[in-house]
Amino acid sequence: MCIIDNYRQKNKLYITQSHLIYSYVMNRLTVLFIIVLGVCFAPSHSFGQHQSINTSKIDSLLDKLSGKNKFMGSVTIRKHDQILYSRACGFSDVQGHLNATPETKYRIGSISKMFTATMIFQLIEEHKLSLETKLSTYFSGIPNADKITISDLLSHRSGIFNITEDSTYSEWHTAKQTQLAMLDRMKAHPSVFEPDTKTEYSNSNYILLGYILETITGKSYADNLKTRIADKIGLKNTYYGNKTQPSKNESFSYSLDDGRWTQEPETDMSIPGGAGAIVSTPNDLTHFITALFNGDLISKASLDSMTTIREGLGRGIFRIPFGTHTGFGHNGGIDKFASGLSYFPDDSLSFAVCTNGLDYNLNAVAIGVLQICYNMPYEIPSLEEFAVDPKILKTYEGIYSSNGVPVKIKITIKNNKLTAQASGQPPFPLDVVSNTEFRFNEAGIKISFKKEHELVIEQGGQETIFSKE
């Protein structure tokens, strides 16, 4: 079941020129493939005052995904302070038959890092901390603590072992943990690299930043989140999580098992802390990121520091490319929850998606919604399964190239399915549309074999022809 919120309204857009490139940081290899094939300069669009958002097409996409048990969750699109679209699909509690609503709360995982970074910058503005402050000021027992700075923690340049990759993590992640126990685990692992020599994502950085926030203020992370952000800008459904309570419209997370949603065990929220313990809604998330970029939470100088990208990461934020537009945001995952948040300053546009059940690629959902928002050509996936004669598939195998395109495409068969691979990148499976047409929904790519010894790649309304070598 999908519920359409009454916030949806018809709003206006304006048109510019570009091509679509959009992905979260976990899909960089896919983005490389899109960039190489995207030099066809398909049109891109921006939001202005003369064109309506196609809410019915977004509805159709979410209807298709939820109807095929591919997606349970919520989506919100906001421009400035106005919500253009808000919708929830599926259940917050499958066993209890509780439908999700736009007010349903989800664990947002690593999007929490944006909130933590914001509060750390508030402390810096209050002269209680600096980017150069050493970790040893607070936790001297962490390896290299005398070399690691607050900036290193914010930028994932500390070299501290990522505690969620501990080999025993699955044995203790559902039980309440003390700060001392978490610190002891971090101390037990040597540094992965020397501080400030490279960038490597580690949840430990933001767990520690959460502890530092508590140490400096003498208040819990939950209290800081409430007073420094939620109460300040009016977030009514954002707070530090605990054991899920369906009676409070909090959702469980699920995996799909033989066509049925199966509830996942819950990580105890004493573990992720400042790295991933917040629960929220897409409505609140878009409100938060809009307020952040409007200067309602930190100064412009702090925001500039936060959004300065080094080796792919900022300080608690990622850059998100979308055609000629540059967005900023974060993605998150915890248990079987998955989420994404982005803001495009040129259009004052924010977008958030939170899911508690996904049998599809979250990036593909985001791409679809944003392509529709920007009036880009987008074909809603059929999600139907077709069988193609293995003899036909065999004729498609080979290496294909195209004049002016600096990659080759290798087509192979794996587990009776076609697989495509661009030069220097990992292979990806192709879903069958017909005997001659296949799709890679994550990147919005359609590959057709309508002529012998030739394939055509369609993306963003443009076509590129490759010939078999």
Side-chain angles (χ1 to χ4, degrees):
M1 173 179 288
C2 291
I3 297 173
I4 302 174
D5 187 77
N6 60 10
Y7 280 121
R8 275 191 344 192
Q9 299 180 37
K10 296 188 180 222
N11 291 273
K12 308 299 180 180
L13 312 170
Y14 67 89
I15 308 297
T16 60
Q17 296 292 317
S18 177
H19 63 276
L20 177 69
I21 301 171
Y22 180 87
S23 178
Y24 291 111
V25 70
M26 298 306 290
N27 295 286
R28 290 177 186 162
L29 294 176
T30 299
V31 176
L32 291 177
F33 184 76
I34 299 172
I35 289 173
V36 169
L37 298 181
V39 290
C40 48
F41 302 105
S44 151
H45 308 271
S46 298
F47 282 86
Q49 300 299 319
H50 304 293
Q51 194 169 355
S52 298
I53 184 172
N54 191 344
T55 58
S56 62
K57 191 168 184 179
I58 301 175
D59 288 341
S60 296
L61 171 61
L62 297 182
D63 284 342
K64 180 61 67 71
L65 293 170
S66 60
K68 294 291 185 179
N69 271 353
K70 298 295 184 183
F71 174 88
M72 292 198 300
S74 300
V75 171
T76 295
I77 302 162
R78 181 190 297 264
K79 180 175 173 63
H80 297 300
D81 293 326
Q82 183 180 20
I83 292 178
L84 309 184
Y85 184 92
S86 180
R87 184 171 181 182
C89 297
F91 297 91
S92 60
D93 179 0
V94 172
Q95 286 72 28
H97 302 287
L98 296 178
N99 293 321
T101 75
E103 301 303 308
T104 294
K105 294 172 276 289
Y106 303 83
R107 294 186 173 194
I108 63 171
S110 288
I111 293 177
S112 302
K113 292 179 175 68
M114 286 188 66
F115 289 81
T116 300
T118 298
M119 291 188 284
I120 291 296
F121 275 107
Q122 288 176 343
L123 292 180
I124 292 172
E125 292 177 11
E126 294 164 12
H127 305 292
K128 297 175 181 177
L129 195 63
S130 76
L131 290 175
E132 291 73 37
T133 301
K134 296 294 194 294
L135 175 59
S136 57
T137 304
Y138 305 99
F139 301 108
S140 59
I142 302 294
N144 276 334
D146 58 334
K147 300 179 182 178
I148 296 168
T149 65
I150 295 299
S151 179
D152 294 332
L153 295 174
L154 287 167
S155 305
H156 295 287
R157 296 180 63 83
S158 70
I160 300 173
F161 177 80
N162 186 357
I163 198 63
T164 57
E165 294 182 1
D166 186 285
S167 61
T168 64
Y169 180 76
S170 61
E171 300 172 11
W172 49 267
H173 80 284
T174 59
K176 186 175 181 61
Q177 303 294 314
T178 65
Q179 183 182 117
L180 180 60
M182 292 296 290
L183 289 170
D184 284 344
R185 290 190 176 96
M186 294 182 200
K187 294 174 185 177
H189 293 275
S191 292
V192 180
F193 55 86
E194 280 295 300
D196 201 29
T197 60
K198 62 184 292 189
T199 299
E200 188 170 303
Y201 194 90
S202 173
N203 287 302
S204 300
N205 294 314
Y206 278 76
I207 293 173
L208 288 168
L209 286 169
Y211 294 164
I212 291 170
L213 172 69
E214 293 178 327
T215 300
I216 292 175
T217 63
K219 298 179 181 179
S220 68
Y221 186 99
D223 286 343
N224 275 288
L225 176 64
K226 184 176 187 301
T227 58
R228 289 179 171 275
I229 295 180
D231 289 350
K232 191 169 186 177
I233 61 174
L235 303 183
K236 305 199 180 291
N237 293 303
T238 300
Y239 49 85
Y240 194 102
N242 208 319
K243 189 172 179 61
T244 297
Q245 299 183 61
S247 61
K248 293 185 177 180
N249 208 0
E250 296 173 352
S251 59
F252 293 111
S253 70
Y254 299 88
S255 57
L256 197 65
D257 185 13
D258 291 331
R260 295 185 177 183
W261 294 111
T262 302
Q263 187 175 320
E264 286 291 310
E266 293 185 350
T267 297
D268 191 275
M269 295 298 233
S270 61
I271 297 169
I278 296 176
V279 299
S280 189
T281 67
N283 285 355
D284 267 17
L285 289 176
T286 55
H287 185 169
F288 161 70
I289 201 168
T290 299
L292 177 65
F293 276 81
N294 281 347
D296 298 331
L297 292 169
I298 58 176
S299 68
K300 183 181 184 302
S302 292
L303 182 63
D304 288 344
S305 178
M306 189 174 179
T307 55
T308 297
I309 305 300
R310 188 178 181 187
E311 294 184 12
L313 300 180
R315 294 183 170 105
I317 203 166
F318 302 138
R319 178 185 289 132
I320 299 174
F322 188 83
T324 57
H325 305 286
T326 298
F328 296 92
H330 215 292
N331 59 343
I334 184 170
D335 305 328
K336 287 298 180 178
F337 292 95
S339 53
L341 174 64
S342 54
Y343 182 83
F344 296 92
D346 287 348
D347 296 313
S348 300
L349 180 78
S350 56
F351 164 76
V353 54
C354 294
T355 75
N356 63 323
L358 194 65
D359 189 42
Y360 201 67
N361 184 273
L362 181 64
N363 191 53
V365 178
I367 288 172
V369 172
L370 286 171
Q371 280 184 296
I372 294 168
C373 282
Y374 277 85
N375 275 1
M376 298 294 295
Y378 177 75
E379 182 178 342
I380 294 173
S382 69
L383 304 179
E384 300 293 339
E385 294 290 335
F386 296 94
V388 179
D389 189 328
K391 294 180 180 178
I392 295 177
L393 293 180
K394 190 69 177 175
T395 65
Y396 300 148
E397 284 193 302
I399 296 175
Y400 297 76
S401 59
S402 178
N403 291 334
V405 178
V407 296
K408 295 184 179 181
I409 308 298
K410 183 180 181 180
I411 302 294
T412 56
I413 299 174
K414 184 177 182 180
N415 298 326
N416 295 318
K417 291 190 68 173
L418 277 192
T419 295
Q421 182 175 16
S423 303
Q425 298 179 38
F428 52 89
L430 297 173
D431 294 324
V432 179
V433 177
S434 69
N435 280 343
T436 59
E437 296 183 357
F438 302 81
R439 290 193 66 89
F440 180 47
N441 288 317
E442 178 178 344
I445 292 172
K446 182 166 72 174
I447 295 180
S448 303
F449 300 88
K450 295 181 179 180
K451 293 184 179 180
E452 191 174 4
H453 304 303
E454 181 178 283
L455 70 78
V456 178
I457 294 180
E458 296 180 53
Q459 182 192 16
Q462 301 296 308
E463 296 183 352
T464 306
I465 298 174
F466 287 75
S467 299
K468 184 183 288 189
E469 295 183 346

